[in-house]
Amino acid sequence: MKYSIRMRASAEGLHVSGGERLVDEESLPEILASLLWKGIRSPVISPDQIHVTIDPVEEEAITCIKALPLYTRRTGSTEEARAVAKDILKENGIKEEIVERAFRLLHDGPGPEGNNMRGAVIMDSLSGERLEPDRARGVRVSRIDYTLETRENLIKVLKHIGIYHERVVDALAVASKVTSRDETVAELCISDDPSYTTGYVASRRSGYVRITNLKEKGHPKGGRVFFVRFRPGEYINYLEKTPVLIDRIDMIHG
Ligand code: WAQ
Ligand code: MG
């Protein structure tokens, strides 16, 4: 038996931060404490509520996948970074006009009244139409983690090449689950943390491509867009509910 732990921190009903892990019983207390701290020490706004949900997950229900290969593109400016992201998304068949719509949305804050969302925007990759059922919440990828051994291995490699950050580990997990589905054409992610300016574009064919300077330092808005090719039916349920563990990593390039 494993346990899914989900944390969400909010202030006046608005999303502040969240986290999700899928762990063995032995590590539950430690991971629970680390997720609580993540909520309490949210970088920008102090939350006035932290919710933690713990559900048991049957081992037989878990699917194992491989992490995406990781690349890093260093850029000198936000303009250059956006151009790099646009090129990669174009290689994945997404028109410039749709990419621009996604960038504008994340820059302005994708939630109602320009707030950050807890989850991701689902965008039709051809029409740019928003498809997530709840536009205030979005779709939150959950029940995703690494096996203990794979997490340790990944951290070791990231530290070795000097790009270790907990965010990288978390984001690679989310992107690997999202791109494991055929409905996903690509993902675009920009942190909502004003001090974290590296974002990424991910797809099965391009891998997880970190792009430095994808947003201006000090900008408090961000989010995720999942570009999809079919109407999401089972897709959302899979991303939110199906337990997935990453048991292998691929190439890691600093
Ligand atoms: N599922 C769906 N959407 C999510 C999830 C999730 N599990 N976690 C976060 N989001 C959305 C939500 O709208 C957040 O506001 C937004 O993404 C940004 O989340 O390689 O730190 O946790 O150097 O601020 C990427 C680059 C860092 C890491 C991303 O995102 C690297 C980051 P944050
Ligand atoms: Mg954040």
Side-chain angles (χ1 to χ4, degrees), residues 39 52 67 77-78 80 84 92 98 129 133 140 171 176 183 209 217 243:
V52 174
S77 66
T78 315
E80 188 190 340
V84 168
N92 285 276
I98 307 291
E129 187 191 344
R140 182 89 193 177
S176 299
E183 293 92 331
V209 189
K217 205 164 182 77

Side-chain angles (χ1 to χ4, degrees), residues 51-215:
H51 287 263
V52 174
T53 312
I54 301 175
D55 318 286
V57 169
E58 302 278 356
E59 303 268 354
E60 303 81 70
I62 301 174
T63 307
C64 287
I65 61 167
K66 185 177 176 178
L68 287 172
L70 180 148
Y71 307 92
T72 305
R73 293 282 299 267
R74 293 176 201 284
T75 69
S77 66
T78 315
E79 296 73 56
E80 188 190 340
R82 290 218 181 105
V84 168
K86 245 182 232 173
D87 277 351
I88 300 166
L89 290 167
K90 210 155 126 196
E91 284 165 17
N92 285 276
I94 305 165
K95 281 188 302 208
E96 186 156 346
E97 168 201 335
I98 307 291
V99 175
E100 260 153 24
R101 189 178 300 192
F103 266 116
R104 226 175 299 128
L105 202 55
L106 298 189
H107 183 270
D108 297 345
E113 295 162 49
N115 297 312
N116 290 322
M117 289 162 78
R118 175 142 65 95
V121 171
I122 312 271
M123 188 176 278
D124 185 306
S125 65
L126 293 175
S127 69
E129 187 191 344
R130 283 178 75 164
L131 302 174
E132 73 277 14
D134 182 342
R135 282 204 188 182
R137 178 184 180 274
V139 171
R140 182 89 193 177
V141 179
S142 190
R143 295 185 172 84
I144 174 69
D145 209 332
Y146 301 87
T147 60
L148 265 182
E149 204 189 350
T150 304
R151 177 179 285 269
E152 273 169 21
N153 188 16
L154 173 63
I155 291 174
K156 200 172 74 192
V157 178
L158 292 173
K159 282 187 172 161
H160 182 71
I161 57 174
I163 58 166
Y164 172 71
H165 198 297
E166 207 179 312
R167 286 176 191 278
V168 183
V169 177
D170 290 347
L172 178 64
V174 169
S176 299
K177 185 175 185 185
V178 172
T179 56
S180 73
R181 286 290 293 204
D182 285 339
E183 293 92 331
T184 306
V185 178
E187 175 186 356
L188 169 66
C189 170
I190 295 174
S191 177
D192 53 26
D193 183 334
S195 67
Y196 201 81
T197 57
T198 301
Y200 69 84
V201 169
S203 80
R204 213 166 325 156
R205 61 180 279 195
S206 304
Y208 174 92
V209 189
R210 312 173 61 233
I211 305 169
T212 67
N213 296 310
L214 199 54
K215 79 167 186 178

Side-chain angles (χ1 to χ4, degrees), residues 5-50:
I5 318 177
R6 286 170 289 151
M7 179 281 292
R8 59 188 165 91
S10 58
E12 293 175 5
L14 295 176
H15 169 78
V16 173
S17 79
E20 34 273 309
R21 297 288 302 272
L22 188 59
V23 300
D24 288 323
E25 191 178 82
E26 303 86 80
S27 3
L28 207 155
E30 187 194 329
I31 305 300
L32 177 59
S34 75
L35 280 175
L36 278 174
W37 273 114
K38 186 181 177 192
I40 290 166
R41 291 181 319 209
S42 300
V44 193
I45 311 158
S46 297
D48 55 31
Q49 271 195 342
I50 298 177

